[in-house]
Each structure stands twice: as structure tokens, then as C-alpha cells.
Amino acid sequence: MKRFLALLKKEYLHIFRDMRTLMILFGMPIVQILIFGYVIKNEVKDVDIAVLDYAHDEYSIELRSKIQASGYLNIVDELQSSEQIHDAFKRAKVSEVIVFPNDLANDLQKDNQPAIQLILDATDPNYAQLIGQYTEAILLDYAVEMSAITPQQESIKLENRMVFNEELESSFMFVPGTMAFILMLLSALMSSITIAREKETGSMEVLLVSSLKPLQVVLGKVMPYVILAFVNAVSVILVGNIVFGVPIEGSVILLMLVSVLFVITSLALGIMISTIADKQFTAMMMSMLILMLPTMLLSGFIFPIENMPEVLQWLSCIIPARWYLEIIKSIMLKGAGIAFIWQQVLILTGMFIVTIAISVKNYKLRLE
Amino acid sequence: MSEIRIHNLSKSFGKISAVRDVSLEIHSAELFGLIGPDGAGKSTLIRLMTTLLLPDTGEIKMGNLDVVDDYKQLRHMIGYMPGKFSLYHDLSVEENLTFFATVFGSSIEENYDLVKDIYRQIEPFKKRRAGNLSGGMKQKLALSCALIHKPTFLILDEPTTGVDAVSRVEFWDMLDNLKAQGITIFVSTPYMDEAMRCERVALMQDGSIMAVDNPGDIPQRFPGKLYAIGADEMYQLKMYLQDSELVESVSLFGQSLHVVPKNGVSVQQMKSECRHKGFKNLTCKSIKPVIEDVFIELMSKQKKEQDAGR
């Protein structure tokens, strides 16, 4: 035990003597979450658009004020002819042009379908689609209002309600995502590097010859990172909550417990990498390639899993972050308890047991 | 019981055989040197002795413990300083020593006597980070760390590589002191001059031990006569002698060439041939071989045998 404590103390000194790394460890999560928070935007707000109004009648003017009043779109330009449309897009001033036809009033009164044209800048296709949908919604809304005034026939009216994230805030997506990413990065990358460093500098040889058990060496090396990762998890949640208003509907204790489970799973992965890699650089590249990228791309953090090709969907099942994300989203946004997430928790636990078993089996008592 | 017996030991990595059929006996409280060029297999032999590698065939007994079967017990008794061991650079001198003392189940106070001669020299810098020490001080600290748990066997892999001449002498003085305390010391080194500080040395080349003897007696193994020849243009002289039919071997030693003439070739004959070729200021005298000559001779003999074998 005394030996183990000495190892812990040494690791603590390593971490705290290296101010640069420490700043990165604590600073990066905050910076990353702020960057993600302000950069990744899936919601539509104050989008600059232009109108080309051939009608110029009461309806078109009413529609325009309705659009303006929605807060989603902002009419900044009025075009005079269709030739100007492409020019407006090219100057990148607007993302959408709405064309009102000449006989708008007629169409509306006769209950013909009014042919309003939406022209969208599809250099960012997802965003364009989103803007289109918002505009459509506003226009349909108006059409329904009109038919209510001059009732002719009942039509099916859809009313959407987005639950658990009523405002469609994208921060609700990326705060859990960033948490998964940061915890994975810190735990797996740092622990694989710290063990590989001992191998690279040759001190592992001495530690092996010492009477410390290999398990003690590994535990002593990764334990401080559990604590670091935990501190980071808390800070990410706090920033998410205070700056971006991400709620924690469920139990905070449950959230912390599953986070610890995810951290030790990531650490086990890091240890597994370090049993293979004997250079810091190799360890880093391996962590990046087999852990970081899949966590970013396949966990559902950035791209929805349902939209992936089937092969990648299968692949995403072996990414621990995928399950962790499902768990924390349920807890933070839906307020789910253990009854709803036990399957994912079980999968993560299984992953932890398998990786730690492989690492212990691979861990060498000797150099070869 | 602190002697080391190595018996028919072999170890290969894939196709490369790093240690070939090595047998050695190292006595209790002996200062034993393993001399050989880089890549001779010294580090592999040492890692086999320190239980870090498993032998393919053969066995090593350290005292009455086997390096394979009893590695756990043995690891408590070995003080090991690996070749590239550089301590923890971001820890201070004192922290390094305390750390190694603790993980080896001891404390600085407990075995202070053993390391005090060495540690006293670096104690003024005990608050300094190990990374900021000079090469010689680093080695002294590393030696202190290897010694702090009072090992029965002290095994050092090229401890003086990259250390200045004065520190090297000091380092060997320390090993003498430790030997006097009954510790069996096994040191590898690429430096021939350090061989003289050992009680016995083994010459290693290409994984095999070529000779074991006390360093004073090794030169007597030199077959034939040895001459030191000098001239103005040394390099051309060496090239000429290498290709000529007169000599067995030529090697450059500082300011002169060490030359072994072929059987039946006299000194006068060599001299006149060289003069005939136009070499000026020719000097030639018979010299006593040193350990390095024996080593080079053994190496070239082994090489010739290998070439003939192919």
C-alpha cells in the first residue's frame, strides 16, 4: 500500500509539474464546449432573406410582415426582377428568396393553391432545407388562417410539438456530446500516453524489476486521471447548464455514476492501447485513430446514427461513447431513471469488463 | 549465496540471435565486466539476468534462485540500472530517490549508509529537478536509486556511456566500494579502458562470449607479435598494409597503426616495403598488446571463421 501511494504521489507530481498539459487538460473542455456551443448551430434565427414581390397586394404585404414578425427570418432586400435573384445569392447577402406570384390574391380567394416560390442557397444543403421548412411552416400557417376566415373545406392540419427540447436548441445535443468526447480524450489518450512514456524512457524496466505488481503500476498511473476526468465532467456540465441552459432533469448522482463508468471504460481502452504501443507517439496516434475519430463521427455526437449506412450503424454499436451519449441525454434531457437506461449501462459495463480483461491478459510481466 | 551462474543461454528475436550459447560464472562479491561493441548482445544478456526477458534455452541462477521460476523473489534482490534509464526528469533528486526507495519497499534512512558516499555528492542539489543535472550526476543519482533497497546483485547496463572522463573514474571508485560491501556487481561497457577496473571481464561479440579472464591476463592471449607503425600519411599507410601480403591485421590506434605481421615476415621486410612505396618518417617498434588488441584480434578471427563458414 505504501508503495502504491508512492506511485500515486509520483504521478500527481508529473501531472502538476507539467503546467502546460494541465492548462490544456482543464482549459480545453471549457474552450471546446464554448466553441461547439457558438459554432454548431442547427436552429434558424434571424436568417437574412430577400423577397421578389410581383403581387404587391394586401396579402403579400401581410405575409411579409408575418415572416418578419416570426423572428426566424429577416427580410433585408426587396428585388425588382428575377434577374436579380442569382446576384443576391452570389453576393452571399441572403440565404433565401421568396417569390410572390402576380395573382396571389386570386389564388388565395379561390382556394387555388397559391404558388409561392422559395429559392434557397444550397451551398449548405442541411441549412437550406431547414430554412425552407421554417418558411413553409409560416406560409402554411397563414394559408390555414385564411381558410379559417373563408371556410370552404376542412383540411388535415398538422401540429408539431418538439418535446424534451422545445426550442430545438442545438446546445442540448453538443453538451452531452462534448462531455463524452472530453472524457474519452482525457481518459484514454492521457492514460495510454502516460504508460507509454514510462516504456519509452526505460523507467518501466525498473518498475517491473521492482516488487510492485503490474496491476499496481497501471492502477497507480491511471487513478489520477479518473479524478481529472471527473473534475472535467463536472465543469462541462456546469458550463452547459449556466451558459447554454442545458437542463439536468434526472438524478445528478446517477449522472455522475454513469460518467465514472464511462471514464473507467475509457481508461481500460487507454491501458489496452498502452499494452500494444511502446512509444508515446504511437500511443497518441492509436488513440486518435481508433478512439477519437469514431467518438466524434460515429457516436451520434455530430451525425445522427439513424442516417448512417447500415455498416456504420453496426460499427457504432462498439463505440462506448454511443451508449454513454444515449444514457446522459436520457438523464439530462428526459429525466430518465435507471429503469430506462439499464440496457445501455449494462453494455458499457460489459465493454469495460472485456477491455480490462484483454489489457490484464496482454499486460506483460516482462519486456516481450 | 550471491554468485551468478549462466548456463548455455540463448535468446533470439525472430531471425536475429542476440545471445548464443553463453555460459558464465560470476563469483560472490565480484566486480565483473562485460565488454563488447554496440549490438553485441550485452543489453539482452542483462535483461535476461534481470528477469525481464525469457531465455529460449539455457538457464540463469542468481544465488540459488532461477530467473524464470523464482522471478518474483529475485526481483527484490536485484538492483538494476538500464542503459537508457534517465530517471524522472520532472521530479527532483530527492523525490526520485524517495520514490525508488518506497516502491522497492525501503526508505532513504534505512539504507543511507550504502548510498551515502554517492548520494553525498549530489545531496547539495537535492531540490533540483533530475532533468537539470549533469550527465555524471544523473548517473550517480541513478546508481543511488538502484542501490537504495540494498540489492544482493547490482546489474548495470552501460552506466558510464555519455559521462565525462573524471566522472567515470569516480563512478568506478564507487563500484569498488560497493564490491567491498559484498555486493555482486555485473557491469557492461563499450569502453575497453574500463575493463581494467574489473576483477574479471568477458569479451562479447555477436551474441557469444569470446573470452573470460582477469583483465591483466587477457593481453597474454594475444597470438604472435605486435608492432606499432607510424608514418606521415597514416591513412594511405593503413590502406596499403591492409591490401599487402605482408600482414595479418592492421588497426588504427591513436597516433599509430597496430600491425600483426604474417608468419615469417620480419620487421625489416615490412619497413623496407613501406619505404619503397614512398612513405616518409617511418617509425616501427615492437609493443606489448593491450586488451583492446586482443579484442580486435578475436573479433576479426571470428569474422573470418564466419565468412569461411558461409
Side-chain angles (χ1 to χ4, degrees):
Chain A
M1 198 59 207
K2 215 171 126 196
R3 292 176 196 163
F4 185 65
L5 286 179
L7 201 64
L8 276 185
K9 190 183 163 211
K10 174 190 78 96
E11 210 51 39
Y12 162 87
L13 288 175
H14 281 320
I15 294 170
F16 283 87
R17 292 260 162 95
D18 190 358
M19 281 317 280
R20 248 186 313 177
T21 312
L22 196 69
M23 298 246 289
I24 294 170
L25 287 185
F26 283 118
M28 187 184 60
I30 310 283
V31 170
Q32 206 165 36
I33 201 157
L34 290 175
I35 289 173
F36 276 128
Y38 288 115
V39 171
I40 303 181
K41 277 226 180 294
N42 288 328
E43 67 251 64
V44 174
K45 207 180 175 195
D46 277 337
V47 179
D48 286 347
I49 63 162
V51 292
L52 174 53
D53 192 351
Y54 288 120
H56 269 299
D57 54 20
E58 52 170 316
Y59 295 109
S60 78
I61 288 163
E62 204 182 330
L63 257 174
R64 278 160 65 174
S65 66
K66 227 175 151 58
I67 289 167
Q68 188 71 37
S70 71
Y72 300 123
L73 306 172
N74 184 22
I75 301 170
V76 292
D77 202 0
E78 173 142 13
L79 307 178
Q80 301 307 321
S81 70
S82 59
E83 282 83 47
Q84 290 178 324
I85 294 175
H86 274 261
D87 201 40
F89 280 133
K90 270 184 199 152
R91 276 182 284 127
K93 272 174 72 182
V94 296
S95 313
E96 184 187 46
V97 176
I98 306 176
V99 185
F100 297 112
N102 227 332
D103 42 1
L104 179 70
N106 261 338
D107 282 347
L108 277 167
Q109 278 165 351
K110 284 186 197 154
D111 193 40
N112 284 339
Q113 303 221 319
I116 295 171
Q117 190 183 16
L118 301 184
I119 304 167
L120 290 146
D121 175 5
T123 42
D124 183 349
N126 289 333
Y127 196 50
Q129 235 162 34
L130 209 62
I131 297 169
Q133 279 164 16
Y134 270 78
T135 318
E136 222 171 298
I138 298 168
L139 296 177
L140 274 177
D141 207 35
Y142 183 69
V144 170
E145 257 175 58
M146 287 300 297
S147 60
I149 298 166
T150 53
Q152 268 134 17
Q153 66 195 85
E154 284 299 316
S155 56
I156 298 171
K157 191 179 159 200
L158 291 181
E159 211 170 277
N160 298 332
R161 191 171 160 230
M162 303 293 188
V163 286
F164 302 126
N165 185 1
E166 305 251 359
E167 319 284 319
L168 296 179
E169 292 278 358
S170 46
S171 58
F172 285 22
M173 268 293 293
F174 69 77
V175 167
T178 314
M179 242 174 96
F181 185 69
I182 296 290
L183 295 185
M184 177 61 96
L185 181 86
L186 204 72
S187 314
L189 184 66
M190 297 314 285
S191 63
S192 65
I193 286 180
T194 182
I195 297 176
R197 183 170 59 189
E198 298 264 356
K199 287 192 186 176
E200 194 176 327
T201 56
S203 42
M204 198 53 139
E205 283 184 45
V206 179
L207 290 183
L208 281 177
V209 175
S210 86
S211 36
L212 271 174
K213 290 193 185 71
L215 194 68
Q216 284 179 316
V217 175
V218 170
L219 275 184
K221 289 207 71 73
V222 300
M223 200 91 108
Y225 290 97
V226 178
I227 298 160
L228 274 186
F230 195 73
V231 172
N232 268 318
V234 172
S235 65
V236 170
I237 292 174
L238 279 180
V239 173
N241 191 288
I242 295 167
V243 181
F244 297 106
V246 180
I248 306 167
E249 300 285 350
S251 142
V252 177
I253 295 168
L254 186 62
L255 185 63
M256 291 298 141
L257 283 179
V258 291
S259 298
V260 170
L261 177 64
F262 181 64
V263 165
I264 58 175
T265 310
S266 310
L267 285 172
L269 278 169
I271 296 169
M272 197 169 81
I273 288 173
S274 71
T275 60
I276 307 165
D278 47 9
K279 292 263 189 306
Q280 290 183 66
F281 184 72
T282 326
M284 195 169 82
M285 289 319 281
M286 284 178 73
S287 311
M288 289 289 198
L289 284 176
I290 65 178
L291 297 178
M292 296 295 101
L293 278 178
T295 300
M296 279 287 254
L297 303 176
L298 295 178
S299 67
F301 169 23
I302 295 180
F303 307 110
I305 293 169
E306 295 77 20
N307 294 355
M308 291 175 191
E310 204 165 330
V311 182
L312 290 185
Q313 290 199 28
W314 279 104
L315 202 62
S316 79
C317 291
I318 58 164
I319 313 280
R322 179 204 160 142
W323 306 108
Y324 178 63
L325 254 180
E326 282 186 16
I327 297 173
I328 55 173
K329 272 194 209 161
S330 302
I331 298 178
M332 290 171 75
L333 306 182
K334 300 184 195 166
I338 186 76
F340 296 96
I341 54 167
W342 63 270
Q343 279 174 308
Q344 286 90 335
V345 171
L346 216 62
I347 291 171
L348 268 188
T349 314
M351 282 178 171
F352 168 68
I353 292 171
V354 170
T355 36
I356 202 78
I358 294 174
S359 327
V360 168
K361 194 169 168 288
N362 269 3
Y363 192 86
K364 292 159 196 119
L365 289 168
R366 297 188 164 84
L367 285 178
E368 51 182 351
Chain B
M1 287 297 275
S2 56
E3 70 271 12
I4 304 172
R5 286 189 306 274
I6 302 173
H7 189 63
N8 293 88
L9 189 74
S10 292
K11 173 77 191 172
S12 50
F13 301 103
K15 281 182 183 159
I16 305 153
S17 39
V19 172
R20 306 175 193 201
D21 200 26
V22 166
S23 295
L24 274 180
E25 288 223 1
I26 295 120
H27 307 143
S28 247
E30 184 175 27
L31 178 50
F32 192 93
L34 181 66
I35 319 285
D38 292 338
K42 301 190 299 288
S43 290
T44 307
L45 179 58
I46 280 183
R47 284 177 178 160
L48 286 162
M49 293 170 71
T50 49
T51 77
L52 288 170
L53 289 175
L54 290 173
D56 294 338
T57 56
E59 58 168 19
I60 306 175
K61 291 254 189 256
M62 311 272 282
N64 44 18
L65 296 173
D66 187 89
V67 289
V68 180
D69 299 331
D70 311 312
Y71 77 95
K72 274 186 185 158
Q73 283 161 277
L74 202 51
R75 284 182 177 183
H76 291 271
M77 299 164 64
I78 295 174
Y80 172 44
M81 194 171 141
K84 60 174 180 178
F85 183 43
S86 44
L87 302 157
Y88 295 109
H89 283 217
D90 48 351
L91 262 54
S92 73
V93 170
E94 200 179 16
E95 283 160 352
N96 265 296
L97 194 60
T98 313
F99 172 70
F100 284 104
T102 321
V103 295
F104 279 95
S106 178
S107 67
I108 299 184
E109 295 74 31
E110 210 173 304
N111 291 314
Y112 188 77
D113 277 353
L114 197 63
V115 295
K116 72 170 180 231
D117 292 337
I118 308 159
Y119 189 57
R120 241 194 330 240
Q121 299 184 32
I122 45 176
E123 216 164 5
F125 311 102
K126 69 180 181 185
K127 294 285 175 212
R128 196 186 284 190
R129 305 256 168 106
N132 299 333
L133 291 176
S134 70
M137 283 204 275
K138 268 185 204 166
Q139 294 313 102
K140 282 168 199 163
L141 176 57
L143 184 62
S144 304
C145 290
L147 277 172
I148 194 69
H149 61 294
K150 204 173 194 313
T152 318
F153 307 99
L154 183 62
I155 297 173
L156 313 170
D157 192 2
E158 300 195 7
T160 52
T161 302
V163 176
D164 68 82
V166 178
S167 294
R168 269 165 61 186
V169 172
E170 284 176 7
F171 193 87
W172 280 90
D173 290 342
M174 290 169 192
L175 294 188
D176 279 338
N177 289 341
L178 292 170
K179 187 187 87 76
Q181 301 193 39
I183 297 175
T184 307
I185 305 173
F186 187 93
V187 193
S188 79
T189 173
Y191 302 121
M192 303 290 168
D193 53 330
E194 293 188 336
M196 299 310 287
R197 303 288 310 250
C198 302
E199 283 175 281
R200 285 192 308 148
V201 293
L203 302 184
M204 192 171 189
Q205 163 73 11
D206 271 341
S208 329
I209 302 290
M210 297 185 298
V212 185
D213 213 332
N214 68 53
D217 287 347
I218 280 189
Q220 289 171 13
R221 290 169 172 251
F222 198 80
K225 284 182 174 137
L226 187 70
Y227 295 93
I229 300 181
D232 277 353
E233 290 166 311
M234 296 291 291
Y235 182 71
Q236 280 84 347
L237 182 62
K238 182 170 182 251
M239 298 312 277
Y240 163 68
L241 285 171
Q242 255 170 7
D243 295 336
S244 78
E245 292 293 307
L246 298 167
V247 301
E248 193 75 45
S249 72
V250 190
S251 46
L252 189 59
F253 264 75
Q255 293 299 309
S256 61
L257 295 174
H258 283 194
V259 176
V260 184
K262 277 208 168 126
N263 269 347
V265 177
S266 71
V267 198
Q268 280 72 25
Q269 210 176 339
M270 272 200 303
K271 261 180 157 170
S272 64
E273 284 284 336
C274 291
R275 214 166 275 137
H276 193 70
K277 285 282 165 194
F279 289 104
K280 294 197 178 77
N281 289 331
L282 214 59
T283 56
C284 184
K285 60 179 179 197
S286 175
I287 53 164
K288 263 188 173 174
V290 294
I291 197 161
E292 220 161 334
D293 295 305
V294 182
F295 195 72
I296 289 168
E297 176 66 22
L298 285 168
M299 267 167 68
S300 62
K301 206 169 103 193
Q302 193 188 31
K303 201 156 178 260
K304 269 178 202 157
E305 276 166 13
Q306 270 173 10
D307 290 346
R310 264 172 211 147

